[in-house]
């Protein structure tokens, strides 16, 4: 099995464990998209690296900027934390593709003229 396929299966398995979590779905799709590159897939397969760990890294960052009961992170900051956790470089196109996977029911979405959903990750916590 190739490195990319192995990394995709690893992340997909983690996503299935939390199938009802829209944030895990978005971040998972982002990581899977990045796994198409062999070098990125190898970083995702590194010992101890998990989708859950990436989500914890984002949550830890949100806790640092928390004001009262609210923590606001921009989309760039969320994906940046995921990239930093796995050791990936920034890929804004992969971020945009991941945002398009946002489920319509569980997250704040709106339709724009070209009918593509937009999710605001500022409600991450």
């Amino acid at each position: 099995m190739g490195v990319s396929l192995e990394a995709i299966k690893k992340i997909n398995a983690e996503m299935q464990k939390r199938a009802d979590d829209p944030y895990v779905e978005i971040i998972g799709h982002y990581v899977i998209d990045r796994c198409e590159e062999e070098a990125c897939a190898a970083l995702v397969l590194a010992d101890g690296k998990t989708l859950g760990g990436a989500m914890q890294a984002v949550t830890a960052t949100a806790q640092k900027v928390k004001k009262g009961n609210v923590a606001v992170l921009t989309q760039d900051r969320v994906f940046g934390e995921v990239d930093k956790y796995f050791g990936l470089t920034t890929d804004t196109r992969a971020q945009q593709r991941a945002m398009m996977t946002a489920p319509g029911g569980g997250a704040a979405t709106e339709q724009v003229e070209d009918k593509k959903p937009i999710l605001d990750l500022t409600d991450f916590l």
Side-chain angles (χ1 to χ4, degrees), residues 64-123:
K64 292 177 188 173
V65 299
K66 186 175 175 183
K67 304 283 188 217
N69 290 332
V70 178
V72 178
L73 296 176
T74 64
Q75 173 182 322
D76 294 339
R77 185 92 182 259
V78 170
F79 288 116
E81 289 303 315
V82 173
D83 288 339
K84 187 165 57 170
Y85 173 80
F86 284 111
L88 304 171
T89 58
T90 301
D91 184 336
T92 54
R93 286 186 182 208
Q95 292 175 9
Q96 292 167 350
R97 286 189 298 269
M99 293 300 292
M100 294 299 128
T101 67
T109 62
E110 64 180 79
Q111 294 291 325
V112 292
E113 289 184 25
D114 62 0
K115 305 292 186 209
K116 294 180 182 172
I118 297 175
L119 174 71
D120 184 1
L121 282 179
T122 58
D123 61 350

Side-chain angles (χ1 to χ4, degrees), residues 23-24 27 54-55 58-59 62 71 73 78 120-125:
Y23 302 110
V24 169
I27 299 302
M55 299 299 292
V58 172
T59 301
L73 296 176
V78 170
D120 184 1
L121 282 179
T122 58
D123 61 350
F124 191 79
L125 289 178

Side-chain angles (χ1 to χ4, degrees), residues 40-71:
C40 291
L43 293 170
V44 170
L45 287 173
D47 275 346
K49 297 294 181 181
T50 64
L51 182 58
M55 299 299 292
Q56 288 175 350
V58 172
T59 301
T61 298
Q63 290 294 331
K64 292 177 188 173
V65 299
K66 186 175 175 183
K67 304 283 188 217
N69 290 332
V70 178

